[in-house]
Amino acid sequence: MAEKRRIIIFDTTLRDGEQSPGCSMNLSEKLEVARALEALRVDVIEAGFPIASPGDFEAVQAISQEVRGCTVAALARSTEKDIERAGEAVRNAARPRIHVFCATSSIHRKYKLKRAKEEIIRMSVDGVRQAKGYTEDVEFSPEDASRTEPEFLVDVVTATIEAGATTVNIPDTVGYAMPSQFGWLIRYLRERVPNIDQAVISVHCHNDLGLAVANSLEAIRAGAGQVECTINGLGERAGNAALEEIVMALKTRSDFFDADTNIATRRIYPASRLVATITGMHVQRNKAVVGENAFAHEAGVHQHGVLSHRETYEIMRPEDIGVPSSRLVLGKHSGRHALKKRIEAMGYRLADDQLEAVFKRVKVLADKKKDVYDADIEALIDQHLGAAAEVWSLQALQTTAGSTAIPTATVSLAQEGKTVTDAATGDGPVDAVYEAIGRITGIRPTLTDYSLRALTGGKDAQGEVTIEVEHEGRRFRARGLSTDIVEASARAYLAAINRIITSGRARERPAQP
Ligand code: KIV
Ligand code: ZN
């Protein structure tokens, strides 16, 4: 029997995903995601865009040092400085890759780069040649390829392969392509580019029209050997193609695609939860593959069918993507060992001291609520991992509110061992708390989104507040948890302020791809 084609999975959650508004992660969060991607067995992790900021550079460098099982890629525009910085950042990777890009469509040539076609080819070729000085593994992307004149795209791809590109990535940068058209483009390149057999064809599809996954799958059918994607479909604007959807489509319909990946599919759900927890970007309930409703059968006729023969309504098994069969885990009397096993099954790998810290928090929580669920534990891990970036911490909070009272809050925050207390009034208790926090920290971002939900079932459930704030043109998402929803609101706001402070207010980001 002929071998199935093995599709290379290039994950860009930490680069294109992290670039999307409000999804920025700190160093320890990026490392945690990188570990989850390694456990998921992605082939390539695009760890960041090193020229963007010292923080991005540091993260790519740290991931290159730690992750040994995947290729680690760094993004660079086709300029000397970018490539130098990318080369430096991935220097210690077990398998380093530099991903060079240059826009090629007429609209980008005319309005963004203000360069003629010949100059674009020269810049692209120079970039690839320079990157080859750092690593053999060089990827080139003609940005906005799907809106580039196909004949010109042939010239660019031919020239960059000749210069040494080992992967040529065809991005649908603005999510404009239609599946059959995009498939046609890949076939066209395979037919017209004379040296195409010397490189892997990759695709990178955005989801502006909801077609990123469909376009990627069509490209695979047309001969693409690598797909760029992100966990939960995170990414610029409407996002990138979702890794979990592509991988499970290839697995579930391997009869149709005759292609497979190396992904450990049981790690999909834990990775999805981790990314949602860290970024505060919730997965919609009915999201394909990883949404809460993806395996929930509500209609009686469906339930009956599934009970008598699962495949009547289920094309994938929840256990194949790592959905835990039981979500109820621990109570007041559970021990460290039970917690450790549960945490490992959820896809986290914690060091002993981290486990001990989470264990203590679980015990405190178990005193407040009867049952501690996976979602509670996940949230505690997140709080613990995020604590490294805690500049201000909440010491005490007291509010008065009611239909006849003026909402008032007294808040105590600590920074470097020094506690500061202040009080404020507001439209409601949350507004009063935010006002008091603003007075203490001196940072007053604009609140652009606020949502509250119960983390689990039950009257004693923790309230989870997710917020988005805008500060000096940048957006930050954060969340807070507590069995008291005003305290959860305060924790979310404080986490956002800590993110603003640690993200380095002065950092200059170049125009993002
Ligand atoms: O969307 C895009 O074109 C990109 C490139 C850098 C691959 O993100
Ligand atoms: Zn992109």
Side-chain angles (χ1 to χ4, degrees):
M1 223 169 51
E3 286 260 306
K4 283 193 196 307
R5 260 186 332 130
R6 174 121 115 63
I7 305 301
I8 299 167
I9 298 293
F10 176 116
D11 181 278
T12 182
T13 308
L14 292 168
R15 200 278 298 168
D16 213 316
E18 206 250 352
Q19 222 167 276
S20 74
C23 286
S24 51
M25 304 175 214
N26 64 36
L27 180 61
S28 72
E29 291 167 338
K30 284 184 186 173
L31 276 166
E32 192 62 25
V33 171
R35 286 184 203 115
L37 293 173
E38 190 178 20
L40 187 61
R41 294 209 306 254
V42 305
D43 300 284
V44 186
I45 295 177
E46 186 164 54
F49 186 23
I51 196 79
S53 71
D56 278 43
F57 176 85
E58 227 181 280
V60 177
Q61 202 174 37
I63 292 168
S64 298
Q65 252 141 21
E66 179 161 334
V67 169
R68 307 318 282 173
C70 314
T71 296
V72 177
L75 184 70
R77 288 169 300 191
S78 216
T79 69
E80 254 178 67
K81 277 218 167 79
D82 275 42
I83 295 167
E84 199 180 297
R85 204 76 178 130
E88 180 63 18
V90 292
R91 192 153 52 105
N92 293 324
R95 296 199 298 269
R97 174 179 294 191
I98 298 179
H99 178 187
V100 180
F101 74 97
C102 182
T104 51
S105 63
S106 65
I107 190 165
H108 279 236
R109 293 195 310 265
K110 185 165 170 200
Y111 297 105
K112 188 173 91 169
L113 299 176
K114 301 185 176 39
R115 307 266 176 154
K117 284 181 176 171
E118 307 70 50
E119 289 176 283
I120 296 288
I121 296 194
R122 191 180 42 72
M123 279 170 69
S124 306
V125 164
D126 287 351
V128 171
R129 288 209 182 114
Q130 188 193 342
K132 285 298 254 194
Y134 294 93
T135 171
E136 251 314 292
D137 188 348
V138 174
E139 171 169 332
F140 177 76
S141 289
E143 191 189 6
D144 205 15
S146 57
R147 291 194 300 171
T148 300
E149 305 88 320
E151 315 75 44
F152 180 52
L153 197 58
V154 167
D155 295 343
V156 176
V157 170
T158 308
T160 50
I161 295 178
E162 180 146 341
T166 43
T167 301
V168 279
N169 179 45
I170 308 302
D172 181 25
T173 302
V174 291
Y176 183 73
M178 292 291 127
S180 54
Q181 183 188 28
F182 199 56
W184 173 86
L185 182 61
I186 302 302
R187 284 190 194 93
Y188 178 85
L189 292 172
R190 288 184 67 203
E191 279 162 20
R192 303 291 171 99
V193 174
N195 50 3
I196 198 71
D197 56 325
Q198 290 165 37
V200 172
I201 302 181
S202 167
V203 288
H204 173 112
C205 299
H206 277 272
N207 206 29
D208 299 65
L209 291 171
L211 294 169
V213 170
N215 285 335
S216 306
L217 292 173
E218 196 53 36
I220 289 173
R221 274 180 21 97
Q226 173 179 288
V227 212
E228 303 199 353
C229 44
T230 57
I231 303 287
N232 299 340
L234 282 191
E236 281 283 357
R237 306 178 307 279
N240 286 75
L243 177 147
E244 60 278 6
E245 295 178 25
I246 291 175
V247 168
M248 290 315 287
L250 292 177
K251 185 177 164 82
T252 309
R253 295 305 312 275
S254 65
D255 59 317
F256 181 72
F257 288 102
D258 211 22
D260 210 347
T261 68
N262 191 37
I263 294 295
T265 61
R266 283 170 187 253
R267 292 289 180 170
I268 286 180
Y269 188 76
S272 161
R273 296 296 313 144
L274 179 74
V275 169
T277 303
I278 284 179
T279 58
M281 196 79 137
H282 291 305
V283 168
Q284 82 201 44
R285 287 185 95 95
N286 62 342
K287 157 96 176 59
V289 184
V290 290
E292 256 172 76
N293 288 1
F295 296 97
H297 303 278
E298 187 69 26
V301 62
H302 287 203
Q303 287 178 351
H304 177 74
V306 168
L307 287 175
S308 26
H309 187 73
R310 208 167 166 166
E311 282 83 23
T312 45
Y313 285 100
E314 263 185 21
I315 59 165
M316 295 170 272
R317 295 181 313 167
E319 55 268 36
D320 288 345
I321 62 154
V323 176
S325 51
S326 155
R327 303 200 177 180
L328 174 63
V329 262
L330 303 162
K332 212 170 162 158
H333 305 293
S334 311
R336 279 179 186 74
H337 186 64
L339 177 68
K340 184 167 191 267
K341 282 193 74 172
R342 195 67 223 140
I343 286 179
E344 279 170 6
M346 286 160 65
Y348 293 91
R349 284 183 291 164
L350 297 189
D352 287 349
D353 57 329
Q354 290 177 318
L355 185 73
E356 190 54 34
V358 173
F359 179 69
K360 284 192 183 132
R361 287 174 187 231
V362 168
K363 284 282 166 189
V364 173
L365 184 62
D367 270 338
K368 290 193 193 161
K369 70 196 289 274
K370 203 164 111 267
D371 299 318
V372 178
Y373 295 83
D374 280 3
D376 291 315
I377 295 179
E378 218 165 47
L380 292 176
I381 295 175
D382 175 42
Q383 276 181 344
H384 178 70
L385 293 173
E390 206 170 53
V391 181
W392 286 100
S393 64
L394 183 67
Q395 299 299 299
L397 168 72
Q398 201 185 330
T399 52
T400 18
S403 52
T404 52
I406 295 174
T408 311
T410 307
V411 177
S412 296
L413 302 182
Q415 186 182 28
E416 290 170 358
K418 199 170 147 241
T419 301
V420 186
T421 301
D422 211 330
T425 56
D427 289 338
V430 172
D431 188 38
V433 167
Y434 285 9
E435 187 51 38
I437 292 177
R439 288 168 70 104
I440 297 173
T441 61
I443 298 176
R444 294 166 188 275
T446 310
L447 185 67
T448 49
D449 194 20
Y450 174 100
S451 73
L452 166 66
R453 66 169 194 154
L455 200 57
T456 59
K459 275 207 289 130
D460 61 355
Q462 294 197 85
E464 180 191 50
V465 171
T466 306
I467 61 164
E468 187 181 87
V469 299
E470 198 169 319
H471 182 73
E472 294 178 354
R474 295 185 61 203
R475 285 199 249 169
F476 300 84
R477 291 184 78 81
R479 62 180 204 151
L481 282 145
S482 171
T483 44
D484 171 339
I485 57 173
V486 177
E487 184 184 326
S489 305
R491 290 192 180 280
Y493 196 66
L494 204 53
I497 286 182
N498 284 334
R499 271 181 193 268
I500 291 172
I501 297 170
T502 55
S503 75
R505 280 151 292 185
R507 80 178 186 167
E508 276 290 309
R509 287 185 87 96
Q512 300 289 299

